[in-house]
């Protein structure tokens, strides 16, 4: 087998004593479902597999390894995995006929939640690996290649991030000028509808030094905008460079010092964890983009209580007022669930009223999906599907109106745009507004990675059109 060497500082701490690695002889196809954290995890798994000799491919038929990075949040999301596995069964059989192997792995939150059950339902699956053990992937694969079926869903005692290799600089450059960086994982909140505390475990915050080192690598590879990720990102509290405990606000100030990093964001936040320091960061830190995803789920106090959200509707509205007082151009986004058990028409009306009061720039809304093992699934008064459908339609119509209104309010204004990638149409490039909308500009307006001043000329369905100001 051909061997090639890699630079020592291109591999993570765990790979310290790894000086040679096999040339990319095998191919891996990774499919990602669910939230941004899974997008980040898929990249880190791809990085770990690169050291193990697997090159990423977009062609599933060519893959020696297929990895599905799955989501368990709603039933529909979880069931997608099984329909995908159905399709893969045929591909695997075809490859077997041609004498080629195709290992099939299930990672992510379905893996953590269902474990060995996945292999029982879909015997073609060779390995199941939960989010806490991705750094063990190469070892797990070695066993799987020798024919063993593996289920790896323990919560690892070691710090996975310490052991996951860093990607090469060239790979980071290829990934573009915006990046995700997970700073916090897991959740201790136990909202009664939600699987995350069970699939991702309890809250863990990465230390500042680790986060800064990763952000510096990103900046060095040309990344201009970093989004800090966590299931409960504003509950992040990590060991600082001074060994004191820091909160997210302080971390943001520190990251803003890194040369090249012009824009910072964080997601997803819980209203209970928006502390004064974080609100002050919105006031005092220009690099922190004026956009905040702050889910509330419902506008009814009764339902908020049943959901175990641990605040009332008016607490949320007061908080929004404080955040807007700190940064008046901040745009808000949220998540909503309709049809939680016991939700009456009056409860739903309270949600509509809260949406009117806040006036969102964008939002996600979902029909309640009972999840196995969560308290909500056991509650009486489950709401009929038809009622959920009808409420969802009304809520989405209102949210869409607000989103379009927000877009239209920007026409004629001059704003900063980070140029991100070539446009779908020739002669165009696509940028990103401070509020996360795609901004279509002439390709000569600037280079990818530039932040330019543009004037918004019109709105598209979900995008803005602009010319150089
Ligand atoms: N940590 C975040 C949410 C993560 S899950 C928070 O606390 O807000 C993302 C979104 O999925 C949630 O905000 C919620 O709106 C939705 N969601 C979670 N569980 C759900 C369920 N069982 N049914 C429907 N939607 C759900
Ligand atoms: Fe789920 Fe978010 Fe509640 Fe945690 S805070 S249980 S992730 S909805
Ligand atoms: Fe889904 Fe897991 Fe994210 S359940 S939303 S992939 S944390």
């Amino acid at each position: 087998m051909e061997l090639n060497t890699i630079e020592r500082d291109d591999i993570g701490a765990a790979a310290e004593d790894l000086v040679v690695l096999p040339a990319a002889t095998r191919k891996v196809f990774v499919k990602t479902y669910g939230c941004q954290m899974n997008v980040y995890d898929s990249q880190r798994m791809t990085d770990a597999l690169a050291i193990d000799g697997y090159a990423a491919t977009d062609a599933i038929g060519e893959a020696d390894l297929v990895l599905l990075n799955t989501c368990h949040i709603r039933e529909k999301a979880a069931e997608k995995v099984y329909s995908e596995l159905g399709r893969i069964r045929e591909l695997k059989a075809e490859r077997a006929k041609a004498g080629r192997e195709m290992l099939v792995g299930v990672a992510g939150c379905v893996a953590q939640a269902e474990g060995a059950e996945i292999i029982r339902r879909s015997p073609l699956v060779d390995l199941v690996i939960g989010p806490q053990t991705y750094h063990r992937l190469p070892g797990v694969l070695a066993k799987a290649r020798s024919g063993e079926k593996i289920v790896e869903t323990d919560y690892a005692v070691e710090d996975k991030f310490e052991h996951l290799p860093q990607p090469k600089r060239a790979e980071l450059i290829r990934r573009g000028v915006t990046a995700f960086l997970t700073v916090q994982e897991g959740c201790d909140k136990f909202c009664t509808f939600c699987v995350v505390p069970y699939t991702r475990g309890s809250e863990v915050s990465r230390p500042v030094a680790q986060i800064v080192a990763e952000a510096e690598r990103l900046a060095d590879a040309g990344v201009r905008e970093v989004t800090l990720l966590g299931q409960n990102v504003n509950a992040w509290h990590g060991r600082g460079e001074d060994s004191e405990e820091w909160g997210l606000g302080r971390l943001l100030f520190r990251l803003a010092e890194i040369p090249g990093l012009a824009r910072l964001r964080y997601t997803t936040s819980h209203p209970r964890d928006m502390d004064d320091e974080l609100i002050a960061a919105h006031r005092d830190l220009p690099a922190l983009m004026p956009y905040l995803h702050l889910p509330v789920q419902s506008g009814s106090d009764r339902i908020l209580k049943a959901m175990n959200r641990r605040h009332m509707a008016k607490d949320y509205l007061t908080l929004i007022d404080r955040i807007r007082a700190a940064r008046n151009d901040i745009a808000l986004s949220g998540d909503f669930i309709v049809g939680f058990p016991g939700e009456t028409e009056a409860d739903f009306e309270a949600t509509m009223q809260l949406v009117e009061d806040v006036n969102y720039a964008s939002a996600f809304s979902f029909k309640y999906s009972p999840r196995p093992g969560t308290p909500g699934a056991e509650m009486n008064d489950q709401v009929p599907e038809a009622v959920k459908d009808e409420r969802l339609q009304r809520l989405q119509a209102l949210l869409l109106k607000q989103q379009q209104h927000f877009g239209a309010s920007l026409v004629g204004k001059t704003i900063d745009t980070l140029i991100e990638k070539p446009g779908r149409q020739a002669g165009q490039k696509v940028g990103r507004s401070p509020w996360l909308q795609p901004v279509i500009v002439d390709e000569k307006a600037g280079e990818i990675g530039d932040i330019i001043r543009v004037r918004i000329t019109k709105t598209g369905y979900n995008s803005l059109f602009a010319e150089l100001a």
Side-chain angles (χ1 to χ4, degrees):
M1 188 192 302
E2 198 194 334
L3 296 172
N4 61 10
T5 52
I6 54 171
E7 299 158 59
R8 274 188 90 80
D9 71 354
D10 271 334
I11 43 182
E16 255 325 81
D17 47 9
L18 223 180
V19 250
V20 285
L21 86 170
T25 46
R26 303 192 185 93
K27 290 189 175 154
V28 55
F29 174 89
V30 184
K31 183 158 182 176
T32 309
Y33 303 84
C35 63
Q36 292 101 328
M37 192 152 306
N38 267 10
V39 174
Y40 176 85
D41 286 345
S42 287
Q43 288 177 344
R44 299 300 301 257
M45 283 193 275
T46 307
D47 299 336
L49 289 167
I51 295 215
D52 208 30
Y54 282 90
T57 176
D58 293 331
I60 189 169
E62 286 177 6
D64 303 282
L65 168 65
V66 173
L67 259 188
L68 304 181
N69 193 7
T70 62
C71 174
H72 201 247
I73 202 83
R74 285 168 291 275
E75 190 182 354
K76 249 197 206 147
E79 285 303 313
K80 270 188 201 154
V81 183
Y82 291 100
S83 47
E84 185 67 27
L85 286 170
R87 277 192 290 276
I88 292 170
R89 186 178 306 123
E90 287 159 37
L91 290 171
K92 186 167 174 161
E94 264 171 47
R95 272 183 72 92
K97 265 190 234 147
R100 303 290 303 270
E101 175 182 64
M102 181 187 263
L103 286 180
V104 178
V106 175
C109 292
V110 177
Q112 190 64 43
E114 297 185 7
E117 175 62 19
I118 298 171
I119 298 180
R120 255 194 306 278
R121 254 182 95 172
S122 293
L124 83 153
V125 172
D126 300 287
L127 61 119
V128 173
I129 184 161
Q132 313 307 324
T133 42
Y134 290 155
H135 56 294
R136 296 186 188 158
L137 194 53
V140 165
L141 273 173
K143 282 195 214 157
R145 280 197 298 266
S146 69
E148 206 180 316
K149 296 262 179 194
I150 320 274
V151 179
E152 179 80 66
T153 51
D154 292 344
Y155 290 120
V157 283
E158 68 275 16
D159 175 358
K160 132 179 115 175
F161 294 104
E162 291 264 354
H163 294 270
L164 278 168
Q166 291 289 343
K168 289 198 150 204
R169 186 164 180 270
E171 177 58 20
L172 287 180
I173 292 171
R174 198 191 61 76
R175 287 178 190 169
V177 296
T178 61
F180 293 134
L181 200 176
T182 293
V183 299
Q184 181 275 342
E185 246 193 298
C187 182
D188 297 339
K189 291 268 187 314
F190 291 91
C191 301
T192 52
F193 52 82
C194 185
V195 293
V196 170
Y198 312 97
T199 63
R200 292 277 175 168
S202 53
E203 280 177 15
V204 177
S205 294
R206 295 176 70 184
V208 175
Q210 229 187 52
I211 296 166
V212 168
E214 192 167 325
E216 283 174 345
R217 289 179 66 94
L218 292 171
D220 176 57
V223 169
R224 306 301 313 278
E225 176 178 308
V226 168
T227 303
L228 307 182
L229 299 181
Q231 267 89 21
N232 221 335
V233 71
N234 58 346
W236 177 89
H237 52 97
R239 182 161 34 84
E241 289 158 319
D242 52 4
S243 294
E244 302 277 305
E245 190 170 282
W246 293 19
L248 189 67
R250 186 151 178 212
L251 176 67
L252 287 162
F253 276 98
R254 173 66 184 90
L255 293 175
E257 289 170 7
I258 296 174
L261 280 194
R263 291 175 153 200
L264 297 169
R265 305 177 185 277
Y266 59 91
T267 198
T268 296
S269 296
H270 192 289
R272 286 275 303 226
D273 295 315
M274 287 302 299
D275 65 13
D276 293 345
E277 196 184 26
L278 188 51
I279 296 175
H282 279 285
R283 186 188 60 214
D284 301 331
L285 194 56
L288 183 55
M289 290 293 97
Y291 180 91
L292 177 62
H293 184 66
L294 194 62
V296 66
Q297 316 298 353
S298 169
S300 153
D301 289 339
R302 221 172 55 80
I303 296 298
L304 285 170
K305 187 157 195 290
M307 286 176 163
N308 192 31
R309 291 292 289 184
R310 296 189 255 181
H311 67 78
M312 297 203 283
K314 82 167 179 337
D315 303 323
Y316 183 78
L317 293 173
T318 310
L319 176 61
I320 300 285
D321 286 344
R322 285 176 57 217
I323 295 165
R324 280 186 167 143
R327 178 95 202 224
N328 63 11
D329 65 343
I330 202 158
L332 287 155
S333 132
D335 291 339
F336 295 90
I337 295 177
V338 301
F340 186 79
E343 186 187 75
T344 62
E345 181 60 26
D347 293 319
F348 176 68
E349 286 296 338
T351 299
M352 294 290 275
Q353 186 57 51
L354 179 139
V355 171
E356 294 279 7
D357 292 344
V358 173
N359 193 14
Y360 287 92
S362 76
F364 301 93
S365 44
F366 312 98
K367 283 190 285 180
Y368 171 67
S369 169
R371 306 304 292 129
T374 61
E378 308 296 318
M379 289 179 186
N380 299 324
D381 300 329
Q382 298 285 332
V383 174
E385 216 40 39
V387 176
K388 288 186 200 170
D389 280 328
E390 189 262 342
R391 287 180 188 163
L392 187 67
Q393 265 183 26
R394 277 155 69 197
L395 177 59
Q396 289 189 336
L398 176 59
L399 290 167
L400 181 65
K401 198 177 79 185
Q402 294 188 343
Q403 182 178 334
Q404 287 170 341
H405 192 261
F406 177 67
S409 74
L410 296 172
V411 174
K413 294 223 165 86
T414 301
I415 67 167
D416 283 342
T417 295
L418 167 61
I419 304 186
E420 227 191 325
K421 56 192 173 195
R424 245 180 266 153
Q425 282 177 30
Q428 293 181 337
K429 281 198 180 101
V430 184
R432 200 183 259 204
S433 81
W435 308 283
L436 278 182
Q437 298 122 311
V439 182
I440 319 273
V441 292
D442 187 277
E443 66 175 346
K444 294 191 206 74
E447 297 305 317
I448 289 171
D450 288 352
I451 294 173
I452 56 171
R453 292 290 286 171
V454 298
R455 192 168 28 254
I456 306 301
T457 53
K458 61 174 182 176
T459 60
Y461 178 68
N462 182 34
S463 54
L464 302 169
F465 290 82
E467 57 191 21
L468 261 183

